[in-house]
């Protein structure tokens, strides 16, 4: 009988728990690449093979191999690094990568442009900083994002601690990582054939697809709780987390032209106590392991399992595996996505500065030397750093007497303490070109200029301090969560985007397609009058996404499976 499973299932199965021939491939100096199957396995180790897309054509003309290099993503549950770790990570950017650090939309670091001969060295340097990259990518539980800044209060600390417990519990157990990157003992080859490794939670096929967990502390929805497979909304009483509302089945990715795929906001499944939280994650993840679609990777995320089987059947299965029932969800209120930029004081009186990092890229350019600024701050040895799920950076645990010093360092490197508008502060773009192999259009390199052009209208309309969430991605996979933006651009072709409007500012409602295949100029022509109208006609406190729905510009997307319905395109 024909094997209907997706090809990745066979690759995982024959990989001897994620070894494949990666180690051998690293030693081949005649090519900058590794074998195709190994590129799939490498993801589980936290790395992607990529090529520099700006020079693809030129190299093809010269009959040269593509300019291959590797991206590395760290596992950083809770998003915290010390000053000492920052300095080590900064060194890696300088010596092994392309001179930049990239803060991701899931609160961790990425390096780009690491050539094959540097890959192992970079992995070892990351480990020397007491950090790792295990399961940062691949069909496993990924990095866990928790509401920004554990140092803010004991509640935030409790939530960040849970993110680490969850990450530890769901971590793959294969020793392939240590073997390949850290020269650990060769378990996989023992006796020439026997594999001693095992994966009690995953099995040799791991999950059908990636699996993502986030935690938030209301009223902040800074980790976009409804965009992920599994979420925990902290319920706080008398200054303590008494438990969590559990959300399931969120996700952003879709494929242009394939209506069977769609972004989906998560459902609230029930309430669990802090003690039950790890078991709940295990049962949700392993149910998805067993129920998820292993034939079609485009329909293999938990969101489709829940769509296809129904939330009630899913809850019943979880409760049967847990051996107890989840309680009814508790009331909660989330008010906003994004980060509040600027100083905030923690419960222990220390100060925390959330720095806007445009699209998460930390680098030095003439007149704006952000990387050097953060390095100088780290060299003081005074602070910690927390990465946010919005590509920003919290300079944490600053003593009151050092606040001025931090500000002075940033300013001396040309780094503004506040972004030029609240819209910019709420803007986010995925990486896209030149490294992302799936990009159809620019994103990180385009959005800043586009926001500048939108700011002219924002300024005229008197909306400089009014947050409007704008996000862009270079393809429909949704890495910057564009379908939860009040204004979302999604790449179709070079210079051409689909324009989505009408998501809720608090992250609870998806947007709707408003214009198909528009250039940046055409999008601006459509957006400018809407922004002016919003300034004139909005109700008190009404956000742009809610306004365009109320004004009938787009219909509301109440549920993911309605995302492609009731579309009325702009004239
Ligand atoms: Fe993503 C694939 C970058 C967050 C949905 N994502 C990719 C790859 C690895 C491209 C690839 O497969 O070859 C991108 C690497 C680009 C590069 O050059 O670095 C990439 N994704 C990113 C990051 C770096 C974007 C950023 O600008 O920060 C984010 C890293 C997160 C992290 O630290 O773990 C990133 N990706 C997301 C998010 C947002 C989130 O999780 O909050 C999503 C939407 C949520 C979701 O998962 O549904 C997301 N990425 C995808 C998908 C679509 C998955 C799907 O279910 O259809 C792909 C493609 C795939 O998996 O096949 C993808
Ligand atoms: Fe690449 Fe698409 Fe993700 Fe952007 S949204 S990083 S273009 S996969």
């Amino acid at each position: 009988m024909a094997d209907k499973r997706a090809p990745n299932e066979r690759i995982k199965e024959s990989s001897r728990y994620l070894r494949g021939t990666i180690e051998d491939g690293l030693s081949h100096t005649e090519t900058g690449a590794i074998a195709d199957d190994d590129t799939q396995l490498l993801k589980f180790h936290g790395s992607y093979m990529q090529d520099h897309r700006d020079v693809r054509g030129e190299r093809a003309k010269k009959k040269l191999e593509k300019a291959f290099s590797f991206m590395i993503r760290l596992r950083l549950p809770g998003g915290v690094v010390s000053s000492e770790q920052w300095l080590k990570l900064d060194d890696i950017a300088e010596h092994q990568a392309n001179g930049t650090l990239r803060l991701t939309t899931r609160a961790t670091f990425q390096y780009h442009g690491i050539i094959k001969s540097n890959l192992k060295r970079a992995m070892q340097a990351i480990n020397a900083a007491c950090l790792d990259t295990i399961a940062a990518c691949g069909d496993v539980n990924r990095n866990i994002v928790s509401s920004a800044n554990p140092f803010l209060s004991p509640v935030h600390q409790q939530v960040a601690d849970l993110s680490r417990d969850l990450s530890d519990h769901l971590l793959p157990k294969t020793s392939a990582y240590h073997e390949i990157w850290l020269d650990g003992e060769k378990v996989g080859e023992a006796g020439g054939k026997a594999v001693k490794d095992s994966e009690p939670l995953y099995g040799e096929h791991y999950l059908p697809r990636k699996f993502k967990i986030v935690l938030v502390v209301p009223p902040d929805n800074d980790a976009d709780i409804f965009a992920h497979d599994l979420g925990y909304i902290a319920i706080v009483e008398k200054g303590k987390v008494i438990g969590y509302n559990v959300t399931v089945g969120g996700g952003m990715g879709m494929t242009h032209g394939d209506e069977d795929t769609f972004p989906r906001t998560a459902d609230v499944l029930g309430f669990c106590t802090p003690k039950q939280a790890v078991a709940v994650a295990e049962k949700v993840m392993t149910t998805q392991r067993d129920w998820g679609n292993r034939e079609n990777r485009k329909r293999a995320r938990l969101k489709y399992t829940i769509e296809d089987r129904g939330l009630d059947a899913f809850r019943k299965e979880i409760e049967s595996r847990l051996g107890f029932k989840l309680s009814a969800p508790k009331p909660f209120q989330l008010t906003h996505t994004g980060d509040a930029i600027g100083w905030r004081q923690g419960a222990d009186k220390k100060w925390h500065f959330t720095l806007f990092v445009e699209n998460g890229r930390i680098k030095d350019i003439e007149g704006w030397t952000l990387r050097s600024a953060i390095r100088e701050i780290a060299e003081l040895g005074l602070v910690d750093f927390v990465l946010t799920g919005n590509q920003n950076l919290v300079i944490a645990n600053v003593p009151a007497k050092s606040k001025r010093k931090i500000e002075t360092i940033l300013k001396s490197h040309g780094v503004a303490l506040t972004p030029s508008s609240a819209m910019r502060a709420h803007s986010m773009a995925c990486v896209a070109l030149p490294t992302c192999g799936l990009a159809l259009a620019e994103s990180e390199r385009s959005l800043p200029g586009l926001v500048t052009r939108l700011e002219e209208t924002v300024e005229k309309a008197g909306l400089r301090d009014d947050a409007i969430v704008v996000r862009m991605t270079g393809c429909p996979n949704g890495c910057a969560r564009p379908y939860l933006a009040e204004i979302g651009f999604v790449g179709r072709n070079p210079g051409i985007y689909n324009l989505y409007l009408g998501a809720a500012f608090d992250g609870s409602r998806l947007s709707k397609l408003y214009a198909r295949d528009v250039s940046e100029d055409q999008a601006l022509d459509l957006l400018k009058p809407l922004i002016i109208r919003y300034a004139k006609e909005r109700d008190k406190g009404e956000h742009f996404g809610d306004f365009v729905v109320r004004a009938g510009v787009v219909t509301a997307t109440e549920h993911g499976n309605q995302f492609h319905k009731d579309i009325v395109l702009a004239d």
Side-chain angles (χ1 to χ4, degrees), residues 351-364:
W351 288 87
H352 310 274
F353 186 74
T354 305
L355 179 69
F356 172 66
V357 180
E358 192 145 45
N359 304 325
R361 187 68 71 177
I362 298 199
K363 61 182 179 185
D364 282 352

Side-chain angles (χ1 to χ4, degrees), residues 43 48 50 71 73 102-108 110 112 136 142-143 209-210 212 227-228 251-254 301 303 391 429-432 435-438 477-481:
K43 297 178 186 179
Y48 273 68
Q50 304 183 315
M71 174 269 268
R73 187 183 290 167
R102 179 61 156 69
L103 314 185
T104 74
T105 54
R106 300 197 77 248
T108 187
Q110 274 191 191
H112 290 104
R142 302 284 188 94
N143 188 44
R209 208 61 165 83
K210 57 180 76 164
K212 297 180 174 179
H228 301 262
M252 293 285 101
M254 65 159 199
R301 295 290 294 275
K303 61 181 176 181
Q391 306 172 322
C430 73
V431 181
T435 52
C436 178
L438 306 178
N477 282 320
C479 298
R481 304 186 288 271

Side-chain angles (χ1 to χ4, degrees), residues 327-394:
S327 309
K330 307 256 185 229
F332 66 95
Q333 201 193 6
L334 297 167
T335 53
H336 64 97
T337 55
D339 299 320
I341 304 300
W343 288 107
R344 196 166 171 185
Q345 194 172 27
D348 63 358
K349 305 282 178 242
K350 287 221 173 129
W351 288 87
H352 310 274
F353 186 74
T354 305
L355 179 69
F356 172 66
V357 180
E358 192 145 45
N359 304 325
R361 187 68 71 177
I362 298 199
K363 61 182 179 185
D364 282 352
I365 51 175
E366 212 186 320
W368 182 81
T369 45
L370 176 62
R371 206 186 117 205
S372 299
I374 307 294
R375 194 175 169 93
E376 202 175 320
I377 292 170
E379 277 164 351
L380 300 173
L382 282 176
V383 304
D384 294 294
F385 297 95
V386 189
L387 279 61
T388 82
N390 299 296
Q391 306 172 322
N392 294 319
L393 183 68
V394 183

Side-chain angles (χ1 to χ4, degrees), residues 326-502:
L326 296 170
S327 309
K330 307 256 185 229
F332 66 95
Q333 201 193 6
L334 297 167
T335 53
H336 64 97
T337 55
D339 299 320
I341 304 300
W343 288 107
R344 196 166 171 185
Q345 194 172 27
D348 63 358
K349 305 282 178 242
K350 287 221 173 129
W351 288 87
H352 310 274
F353 186 74
T354 305
L355 179 69
F356 172 66
V357 180
E358 192 145 45
N359 304 325
R361 187 68 71 177
I362 298 199
K363 61 182 179 185
D364 282 352
I365 51 175
E366 212 186 320
W368 182 81
T369 45
L370 176 62
R371 206 186 117 205
S372 299
I374 307 294
R375 194 175 169 93
E376 202 175 320
I377 292 170
E379 277 164 351
L380 300 173
L382 282 176
V383 304
D384 294 294
F385 297 95
V386 189
L387 279 61
T388 82
N390 299 296
Q391 306 172 322
N392 294 319
L393 183 68
V394 183
I395 302 166
N397 290 328
V398 181
K401 63 176 185 334
S402 306
K403 280 174 72 185
R404 183 66 56 82
K405 174 98 192 145
I406 301 291
E407 291 183 0
T408 308
I409 293 176
L410 289 169
K411 284 189 209 152
S412 72
H413 286 272
V415 178
L417 301 182
T418 36
S420 47
S421 66
M423 174 186 269
R424 192 178 297 274
H426 285 77
S427 68
M428 200 155 74
C430 73
V431 181
L433 295 163
T435 52
C436 178
L438 306 178
L440 305 170
E442 293 282 352
S443 186
E444 180 183 328
R445 297 193 294 199
S446 250
L447 188 63
L450 188 58
V451 170
T452 305
R453 294 173 75 193
L454 278 170
E455 277 177 339
E456 288 167 23
T457 309
V458 161
E459 192 66 38
K460 255 193 231 148
L463 297 174
R464 189 198 298 172
D465 299 323
D466 290 81
I468 299 178
V469 178
V470 184
R471 297 176 181 170
M472 177 182 268
T473 56
C475 85
N477 282 320
C479 298
R481 304 186 288 271
Y483 315 111
L484 282 170
E486 296 178 288
I487 301 175
F489 294 87
V490 175
R492 292 271 289 171
N493 283 303
I496 300 293
Y497 298 85
N498 277 356
L499 175 61
Y500 294 83
L501 298 180

